[in-house]
Amino acid sequence: MGNDDSKVFIGKKNTLNYVMAAMMNLSEGRPSLLLARGKTISRAVDVGEIVINKFVKGASYGKIKIDTEKISNDRDGSISNVSSIEIEILPPPKK
Amino acid sequence: MGNDDSKVFIGKKNTLNYVMAAMMNLSEGRPSLLLARGKTISRAVDVGEIVINKFVKGASYGKIKIDTEKISNDRDGSISNVSSIEIEILPPPKK
């Protein structure tokens, strides 16, 4: 699902920051992969919808993958499970 | 994507409530459709992962669909856009 530099890690910044990052890949004709964990999953979905419906005409969803990641806590070494999502956004088809 | 009674609307209750609801459909051999909007999208993903990884061996993801819904505010009549997700969970294949 694309090389490293097409990945956009969704964190706690303003949604539009991630929209811009995703648009940069798409404008170069490359797919953009939105990655999010836990509570930021909702924001990743927002980013996808804004990119596709408002900014990049013709862009569409590719694969959407849901998974669980194990996160280890540095303080006590405990491991917790966190849900994650990968949303692939495909650039508009070339004319 | 299935008839009405296989839909599980994800709200603000404890995650396990929705896990139970989804499992009821699956135990009858029917797919379960998790529906969520806005901030509850993360919880819907949690429900899917818990059902598939912990409770229903052999269950798997079907279609995952992301969309935007228009919600009208009853007080001032304004309309806002809210992201939504539909996660289909398929029952284990019959032997």
Side-chain angles (χ1 to χ4, degrees), chain A residues 38-39 41-42 45-46 49 53-54 61 64 66-68 81 83-85 87, chain B residues 38-39 41-42 45-46 49 53-54 61 64 66-68 81 83-85 87:
Chain A
K39 286 192 193 297
I41 288 174
S42 310
V45 170
D46 286 340
E49 282 295 297
N53 295 332
K54 301 225 165 146
Y61 289 110
I64 300 173
I66 289 173
D67 208 346
T68 297
N81 291 317
S83 301
S84 66
I85 199 166
I87 302 173
Chain B
K39 286 190 194 299
I41 288 174
S42 312
V45 170
D46 287 340
E49 282 295 298
N53 295 332
K54 302 225 163 144
Y61 289 110
I64 300 173
I66 289 174
D67 208 346
T68 297
N81 292 315
S83 300
S84 65
I85 199 165
I87 301 173

Side-chain angles (χ1 to χ4, degrees), chain A residues 11-85:
Chain A
K12 293 183 176 177
K13 289 188 203 161
N14 190 294
T15 303
L16 284 182
N17 285 281
Y18 307 111
V19 169
M20 296 294 286
M23 283 171 61
M24 291 215 306
N25 295 320
L26 296 172
S27 69
E28 293 165 3
R30 288 181 294 150
S32 198
L33 194 60
L34 310 178
L35 302 170
R37 287 200 290 228
K39 286 192 193 297
T40 62
I41 288 174
S42 310
R43 184 169 293 133
V45 170
D46 286 340
V47 172
E49 282 295 297
I50 292 170
V51 168
I52 288 178
N53 295 332
K54 301 225 165 146
F55 288 110
V56 187
K57 209 176 168 178
S60 59
Y61 289 110
K63 284 186 186 163
I64 300 173
K65 205 178 127 199
I66 289 173
D67 208 346
T68 297
E69 293 181 14
K70 291 193 186 302
I71 309 287
S72 68
N73 184 329
D74 289 336
R75 281 168 74 187
D76 60 7
S78 64
I79 291 177
S80 48
N81 291 317
V82 181
S83 301
S84 66
I85 199 166

Side-chain angles (χ1 to χ4, degrees), chain B residues 16-86:
Chain B
L16 285 181
N17 285 280
Y18 307 110
V19 169
M20 296 294 286
M23 284 172 60
M24 291 214 307
N25 296 318
L26 296 173
S27 69
E28 293 164 3
R30 288 181 295 149
S32 198
L33 194 61
L34 311 178
L35 302 171
R37 287 200 290 227
K39 286 190 194 299
T40 62
I41 288 174
S42 312
R43 183 168 295 133
V45 170
D46 287 340
V47 171
E49 282 295 298
I50 291 169
V51 168
I52 289 178
N53 295 332
K54 302 225 163 144
F55 288 110
V56 186
K57 209 177 168 177
S60 60
Y61 289 110
K63 285 187 186 163
I64 300 173
K65 203 177 128 200
I66 289 174
D67 208 346
T68 297
E69 293 182 13
K70 291 193 185 301
I71 309 287
S72 68
N73 184 328
D74 289 336
R75 280 167 76 189
D76 61 6
S78 64
I79 291 177
S80 48
N81 292 315
V82 181
S83 300
S84 65
I85 199 165
E86 286 185 20

